[in-house]
Amino acid sequence: MSPDIHIFDTPEDTARAVAELILVKAKEKNKSSLPLNIAISGGSTPKLLFTILASDFSESIPWHFIRIFWVDERCVPPTHPESNFGMTFNSLLKNVPIHEANIFRIQGENDPQTEAFRYQTLLERELPIKNGFPQFDLILLGMGDDGHTASIFPNDMSLLHSHLSVSVGVHPVTGQNRITLTGKTINQAQQVVFLVTGDSKADVLKEIRHHKSSSAKFPASFMHSNNEQVEFYIDKAASKGL
Ligand code: 6PG
């Protein structure tokens, strides 16, 4: 199924649209007194989203109904400048009334294989299971200019088909270990949304959108939700060529 693409003028407009989506979904779950189980990505793109959530949505979103998990984490301590948790804490978590018990940090300081198993066990305890994999309500993904997503890189496509829910990825340039959700876990989510901005991502997005065969080298092109849909929230710069 071709991706559903939402295009906005600026990175700020794009991030704000994703913030509004989170607000709507949280309120929907709130009506049934159920938590919103959301897995978020790291990197630089979501930092703007987190800043907007903290500044403009701290009172409108029912934060006590939000349970935050991570799509992936670098194998570094939470205080390390490359920590996804550290970035999220500083830009969002310390600024909103989310319960600490509802923050499920991947412990990047642990041994990678041990942590992958711990986090997998936690997900299987905390989330409903769909087709043998933990199911999130919403997964927010980013995409690298090499077409990676989560910490599933083009040189390790096996993570797309792993029978594990969580595994260890390795950054192809730095060799840094990463803890990551696997492709099958991501694709079981109720909703999968990419937040992608900037002209460095335009070529990959164009291939994913128009060239199914040549885009098979990009892990991002294999992502979809449980009902096969996937949505891209992108800015004009990233939409060049669509
Ligand atoms: C990470 C992310 C990763 C990210 C892409 C895009 O831990 O880095 O989970 O998948 O989404 O690398 O990163 P940018 O937003 O920095 O371009």
Side-chain angles (χ1 to χ4, degrees):
M1 182 179 285
S2 63
D4 187 17
I5 297 183
H6 312 268
I7 302 173
F8 302 88
D9 286 341
T10 65
E12 291 77 9
D13 293 343
T14 312
R16 188 168 299 279
V18 174
E20 293 287 351
L21 170 69
I22 294 170
L23 172 63
V24 167
K25 292 192 73 74
K27 286 189 168 179
E28 278 171 12
K29 295 297 294 268
N30 193 346
K31 284 178 190 164
S32 49
S33 299
L34 292 173
L36 179 70
N37 295 313
I38 179 173
I40 57 177
S41 289
S44 58
T45 303
K47 191 170 181 178
L48 181 55
L49 166 63
F50 299 157
T51 303
I52 290 171
L53 283 170
S55 60
D56 300 352
F57 291 79
S58 60
E59 296 183 8
S60 54
I61 286 180
W63 289 100
H64 51 294
F65 275 91
I66 303 278
R67 300 170 89 225
I68 285 194
F69 302 78
W70 273 261
V71 168
D72 63 341
E73 181 58 276
R74 292 83 181 275
C75 290
V76 295
T79 52
H80 190 283
E82 291 186 25
S83 167
N84 287 337
F85 170 81
M87 180 272 286
T88 311
F89 180 80
N90 290 324
S91 55
L92 174 61
L93 301 179
K94 72 178 184 182
N95 300 312
V96 294
I98 187 169
H99 295 168
E100 192 172 340
N102 289 340
I103 299 172
F104 300 89
R105 177 175 76 89
I106 299 175
Q107 296 171 9
E109 67 275 24
N110 290 346
D111 166 73
Q113 291 297 344
T114 304
E115 179 55 18
F117 181 73
R118 184 198 71 86
Y119 190 57
Q120 172 171 297
T121 305
L122 179 149
L123 295 182
E124 290 168 354
R125 183 183 71 235
E126 295 293 338
L127 297 172
I129 301 297
K130 184 84 172 178
N131 298 322
F133 289 85
Q135 184 177 55
F136 290 94
D137 294 308
L138 174 61
I139 292 185
L140 290 182
L141 295 175
M143 187 184 76
D145 54 14
D146 62 351
H148 84 260
T149 190
S151 283
I152 305 174
F153 295 93
N155 66 327
D156 189 5
M157 303 290 267
S158 66
L159 291 174
L160 290 171
H161 315 295
S162 171
H163 66 283
L164 299 173
S165 305
V166 180
S167 192
V168 179
V170 181
H171 192 286
V173 175
T174 65
Q176 184 184 64
N177 285 321
R178 306 275 188 93
I179 308 297
T180 185
L181 297 184
T182 57
K184 287 187 175 180
T185 302
I186 293 169
N187 290 344
Q188 283 308 326
Q190 292 268 17
Q191 187 171 7
V192 175
V193 169
F194 279 91
L195 171 58
V196 180
T197 60
D199 54 15
S200 68
K201 315 292 176 73
D203 289 344
V204 173
L205 277 176
K206 180 181 175 183
E207 274 201 72
I208 290 176
R209 175 73 166 166
H210 296 301
H211 307 292
K212 290 296 176 199
S213 56
S214 66
S215 66
K217 58 182 177 287
F218 302 133
S221 69
F222 290 84
M223 298 298 110
H224 57 76
S225 65
N226 177 253
N227 66 9
E228 299 297 313
Q229 181 59 280
V230 64
E231 294 173 88
F232 282 82
Y233 281 64
I234 68 176
D235 68 350
K236 275 188 174 166
S239 72
K240 277 185 303 189
L242 290 188

